[in-house]
Amino acid sequence: MDNPKHCEECEEVEAKAQRFNSNTLTLEAAGEGWATLHNFMNDNGFLYYFPAFIRLCIESDMENGFLDSFFFAVTHQGVKNTRLNACTYEQKKLVHDFMVWYRNTYPDLIEQWLVEDDVDQAIKLWDV
């Protein structure tokens, strides 16, 4: 985070981020909705946890999931998405390829989470 002392909520999120790493972050710890961990992170923090976010998408099911949060994070503000612009060409390609693989591997889950349009938008946005 750029300013973990900004407020109590930011301090709590920073403390949570410090308790986990990209191998140990859980769906519960990642949060949901506006309280999703990545909403409070700067680009460096987001990229550090990016492998965990991909893993959480794969671990998602109908009861517990991360799909809506993930696809919001990678499409927010379109071409002005700071996460997209913080990535190298190789990183963008990896993200794009993951999203294509995910769409082809989990179409039913994507449909059930109502993120079809988000997935398509993300794939187009991250295409290099």
Side-chain angles (χ1 to χ4, degrees):
M1 297 179 66
D2 289 325
N3 185 5
K5 302 284 185 201
H6 174 260
C7 63
E8 269 186 48
E9 190 171 59
C10 287
E11 287 180 11
E12 289 173 18
V13 168
E14 178 68 15
K16 184 188 294 185
Q18 296 300 324
R19 286 193 308 272
F20 295 93
N21 62 45
S22 64
N23 293 319
T24 62
L25 187 67
T26 64
L27 282 168
E28 181 181 348
E32 54 186 291
W34 66 269
T36 306
L37 187 63
H38 64 67
N39 286 340
F40 295 87
M41 293 181 167
N42 62 24
D43 293 337
N44 289 334
F46 184 84
L47 293 176
Y48 170 79
Y49 277 102
F50 204 83
F53 298 149
I54 288 175
R55 178 177 49 77
L56 295 178
C57 285
I58 295 169
E59 292 175 4
S60 294
D61 57 32
M62 269 317 295
E63 288 75 40
N64 301 295
F66 193 71
L67 301 182
D68 53 347
S69 295
F70 176 79
F71 286 104
F72 172 79
V74 297
T75 59
H76 180 66
Q77 296 184 324
V79 295
K80 294 181 181 178
N81 183 288
T82 62
R83 277 65 157 119
L84 171 70
N85 294 319
C87 289
T88 65
Y89 172 86
E90 291 80 10
Q91 290 168 324
K92 290 175 188 174
K93 179 160 179 23
L94 181 129
V95 174
H96 173 266
D97 292 349
F98 164 73
M99 291 185 285
V100 169
W101 172 84
Y102 196 89
R103 180 184 61 193
N104 294 335
T105 306
Y106 297 102
D108 294 339
L109 194 58
I110 289 169
E111 182 180 341
Q112 291 172 340
W113 273 88
L114 305 174
V115 293
E116 301 102 316
D117 292 342
D118 299 326
V119 172
D120 290 341
Q121 180 186 0
I123 289 170
K124 288 177 188 167
L125 185 64
W126 287 77
D127 192 13
V128 289

